[in-house]
Amino acid sequence: MGGVGALLISGGLLAPGLATAAPGPGAAAIATPAHQAYVVFVNDTSGQKTYPETEEQRLAKIDTALQRWVVESDQLISSFTRVGSPQTMDVDCSLPDPHLTVFAASATLFPGVDFTGTSGNNLIAMGPQGCGGGHGTQGSAANGLSSGGKIYTANEPTYGTQTMLHELGHNFGLSHAHGSTCDESGACTTSDYGNLYAIMGATVFANNPQTPASLDSFERTRLGIAGACEVPAVALGAGQQTQTSTYDLFGRGTTDGTRGLRITTPPGQQYSIDWRNHTGRDAGAMYTQYRPPTTFGRFNAGVTVQRIEPDGASATMLTHPVDPADYSRGLVAAYTAGQTFTDAGVVIHVDALEAGTSATATAQVTVTVTDPAAPAGPAAPTQTGTVAIAGSSAVGATLTATPTDWTPGSCYRYQWFQDGVAVDGARSSTFVPPAGADGGRITVQVTGQQAGYQALAVTSPAVTVGGDTTAPRTTLDPGPADGSTDRTPTFSFSADEDATFQCSLDGGTPFPCTSPHTAPLLTPGQHTFTVRATDTAGNTEPSPATVTFTLGATTLTVSVGREEVVQGGEQAATGTGFQPGETVTGVMASDPVDLGAQIADASGTVAFTWTVTAGFDPGTHTVTLTGPQSGSAADGFTVLAAAPGPPTTGTEPVTGGVGTGPGASPVVDAGTSSGSRPSGGVLAVTGTEITGVLTGATALLLIGTAALVAVRRPTTEGPTR
């Protein structure tokens, strides 16, 4: 059978009393600083079972499995190391379930060690060859990679490592990976461990050791490892009846780019797809070694489709006939170039598969999701974004596509061109111009994609290979002095050749900019502004020009012109500390009165003047000045009631503004404070003030005296009729 010995079902039992993984599409990744492994070796008291490997070899296998989980977790498990020396215990391997005896003794073997919850502590128990199978406790999906637990395996030289990886997967909350086969009638059978690509499937043992394949997209999403663009979501947006998108998938065993898809159909069924191409961590996996017509030939290289089950905790690998017209030719799991998977609401077509096992090889897959019953809605919005090429354009140097200003959540496809012709296999974010490319013009096309949006393809400006390879240098002015209160500082910069610029503030995402550039409103404290130039040949300076500065806190002040103002008088207010050029508004309260707006001058000062109306309520009032950038400040003052006017006597007005007779009013000093204003706010009349209007005889003096009394009398008794 092509070197295959048998099929071992690994992970057949879960420890009693432990729940299965909770439903859900995926757990949030919990970064665990470290995991610990506590090792115990079982001695068979019946004398029937022995270890085919030395203790040193067994420990090496354990260490390999632990470090593989560090790699598979993308270092979310920062380390996974053995603690202390292995313990030993005696167990009768002729009895069933020897692992249960070991699990029950863990508290005695390792006092005080908690193997539950998010402890990160793992019991690794190993028995002699043939002493039981693989077993693991089922961890919580919510705890994911931070879970502790217990596993048991037998010492099997050719597949023991894979079994340990599988059982540790149970500790982290993963369920078994299923497989489904269907016959010509459409009747299907699901095998509990039937996905032999997956770590959580059955373990294959053979005459030659097996290396487990990498975690698939479903497992990585389940554990919270996969990023949004590693496994993009594919689904219809609101009001969409159909969407067709093409993706470039890198091999599942590689470490960069899009490596899978999670598709949701209108009926709600989800599928997870991967490209298995013998690459990277998949290089020594079972499917790389067996081909049709062997029993295991159904697990071929190609694009795999898994159906995610309704509980969200497990997935089933779907197979299809090699020849739909002749089921006797067998079934295969992976789809190859030109083949199509179809189900309600979805068509997955494999357009092309690149040959070889390069880490940059891709599978091109087109997915169409359709919901004919959906009501017609507006067209899906289109992505936005641009792309440029960074790096040296010399032959053998690395060019990098740098997408900017894209719709948040966008994932990218790349295609590099030389002189307008697509370069075969150049579909990653980097490209190295080959020998003989001197003088060629290199561009890159980036296609932004995400669920619910129309894809957008944009092409970068060209760079010439072997032309100008010298990066420009940017000169950046010093920026604001430390302690400056200018919260929207302006930066000036230039390059030593024609160039475009990318700016960044406080470590944020770089954005296209031109000189001079004015920053948005900044808070007091330290800030950093950087700018990097790219010349017309596509050379980008390796390090940006940088300026770091500290803005001081601004103090706003408002001062009124007078502490007290009589009704009908004028008031003024001056504000300082505002941003130069800022529009400052003024309000007088208690009953709000809009004082209008003034522009702060170069020193940040504004001035307001207004008349307190004759009917404004006496008492304490507040003037508040507000700038949208600087904030608000206020000052208060008192409004005094104006004194009543003089009586009407019919006499001629008195020289000096004081008079009697029709229409005469007291003279009010509306511009003096209480410290200099006569009591009552009415200009006092003295004897000397009226002497100048009295002339002649004594009779006139008596008339003048009467007039004086008439003027003064209202200040104490009020006007009379």
Side-chain angles (χ1 to χ4, degrees), residues 77 223 311 383 402 498 533 554 578 588 641 665 674 712:
I77 298 175
L223 292 174
D311 64 1
Q383 312 254 42
T402 56
D498 287 342
T554 56
F578 292 96
M588 181 177 70
S665 300
S674 60
R712 292 198 178 202

Side-chain angles (χ1 to χ4, degrees), residues 512-548:
C513 56
T514 56
S515 180
H517 173 74
T518 299
L521 183 66
L522 302 177
T523 58
Q526 188 176 83
H527 299 275
T528 299
F529 177 79
T530 64
V531 58
R532 190 195 304 260
T534 300
D535 65 18
T536 55
N539 302 302
T540 299
E541 60 184 326
S543 298
T546 302
V547 61
T548 298

Side-chain angles (χ1 to χ4, degrees), residues 237-243 375-382 452-454:
Q240 285 187 285
Q241 293 181 328
T242 187
Q243 176 176 300
T382 302
Y453 284 81
Q454 297 183 49

